[in-house]
Structure formats: C-alpha cells, structure tokens
Amino acid sequence: MTVDEYNKCVDHHADGLYRFMLKHVRDTEKARDLVQESFAKMWLKVNEVDGSKAKSYLFSTGYHTMIDMIRREKKQGNFDEVNEMNLSHSNQYSDLNEVLHTALDKLPEVQKSVVLLRDYEGYAYKEIGEICGLSEAQVKVYIFRARKALKDFIVRMDLVV
C-alpha cells in the first residue's frame, strides 16, 4: 500500500470506522482513540497491507483493538464511574431507540459486532467474516441469533407499555 492509498483509506473509511466504534463503546472519546489507534496500527504495516483490502484490514484491526480495550476495562473496573441507570428501575416506556440500544448491549460481543456491521454499516457476510475472523456460515448464524434476541427483547410488552 502506498502513502496515497493510505491517505485515501483514511478519507474514505474514518467516518464508518468511527460510527462502528461509537455504536459499541458509546463514548465519543474512546471511539476516537480506537479509530486513531487502528489507523496507527495500519500505518505500522502499511507496506504489508494490500490497497484493495485496506478497508477490511482496517475494520479487522479496529474490531480487535476495541475488544482488547473492552477486556482491559472489564479487568480494571472504575468505581468512580457509576451508571445511575443500573441503580434505578422504571417500567415506563421512554424511547424505542433507547430500548434498542439496551437490547444491543445485552447481546454477546460477537453478535453485537456482526449485527452492527451488517445492519448499521451494510457489510456483506463475507466481509464481516474477514473482519471478525469468522466463517460466512458463522456470521449468518450469529446475525440470526442476535436478531432473534433483539426481537424477543423489544417485543416484551412490559418494555413497550
């Protein structure tokens, strides 16, 4: 990959990678850091990356960087940041978008990733497999299971009423 191809890759894919990261981590600063780190890792291997596969390489790198960050944070834990929503309870419907995000957060990480890549970013099953290191059949199964879990969560009457 040449420097010009790398710069074009930054121009074309930075926003999509940022949206993908933001949907997962829900923190603009962390999402920006993950995008920056992904591009930095790609730059270190710029001579090894094929220009035609730069997007796939970038999203794969970003996905794995995000997973590493999530695992580090789970191990560390931060008692200063307490989510008040977890401490309160409300049976009232507030916003369908909020319900959808809550449902997405309850999915296993791999299912959440494949659904976001497919439904939010519009990737093909094969590309998702390359990004997440899964076979195309595994991607289809995870998407099916994730959509079923989302449907079951959203359809529950006590959330909607």
Side-chain angles (χ1 to χ4, degrees), residues 30 77-88:
K30 286 181 185 177
N78 189 351
F79 293 107
D80 295 333
E81 296 177 4
V82 175
N83 187 354
E84 294 178 18
M85 294 301 293
N86 291 340
L87 302 175
S88 65

Side-chain angles (χ1 to χ4, degrees), residues 38-117:
S38 300
F39 277 110
K41 287 180 179 181
M42 188 172 163
W43 178 252
L44 293 174
K45 299 203 179 220
V46 73
N47 294 328
E48 300 170 24
V49 177
D50 180 15
S52 63
K53 297 188 180 200
K55 181 179 180 183
S56 182
Y57 180 86
L58 179 63
F59 272 80
S60 294
T61 303
Y63 171 76
H64 292 294
T65 303
M66 176 187 58
I67 295 297
D68 291 343
M69 188 254 334
I70 290 170
R71 287 180 182 157
R72 267 193 317 270
E73 286 182 352
K74 279 185 182 178
K75 286 180 182 177
Q76 292 176 344
N78 189 351
F79 293 107
D80 295 333
E81 296 177 4
V82 175
N83 187 354
E84 294 178 18
M85 294 301 293
N86 291 340
L87 302 175
S88 65
H89 179 64
S90 172
N91 284 333
Q92 296 179 351
Y93 171 78
S94 59
D95 184 16
L96 186 57
N97 192 29
E98 184 179 318
V99 172
L100 180 60
H101 287 296
T102 302
L104 277 169
D105 288 339
K106 292 191 180 295
L107 291 175
E109 200 59 44
V110 68
Q111 287 182 7
K112 182 178 178 181
S113 295
V114 295
V115 164
L116 289 174
L117 286 170

Side-chain angles (χ1 to χ4, degrees), residues 102-145:
T102 302
L104 277 169
D105 288 339
K106 292 191 180 295
L107 291 175
E109 200 59 44
V110 68
Q111 287 182 7
K112 182 178 178 181
S113 295
V114 295
V115 164
L116 289 174
L117 286 170
R118 178 69 179 170
D119 295 336
Y120 283 88
E121 297 298 327
Y123 280 95
Y125 294 119
K126 186 176 181 180
E127 291 176 315
I128 296 170
E130 290 172 2
I131 291 169
C132 296
L134 303 169
S135 70
E136 194 171 335
Q138 286 174 314
V139 170
K140 290 178 182 179
V141 168
Y142 283 135
I143 289 175
F144 172 79
R145 289 178 182 166

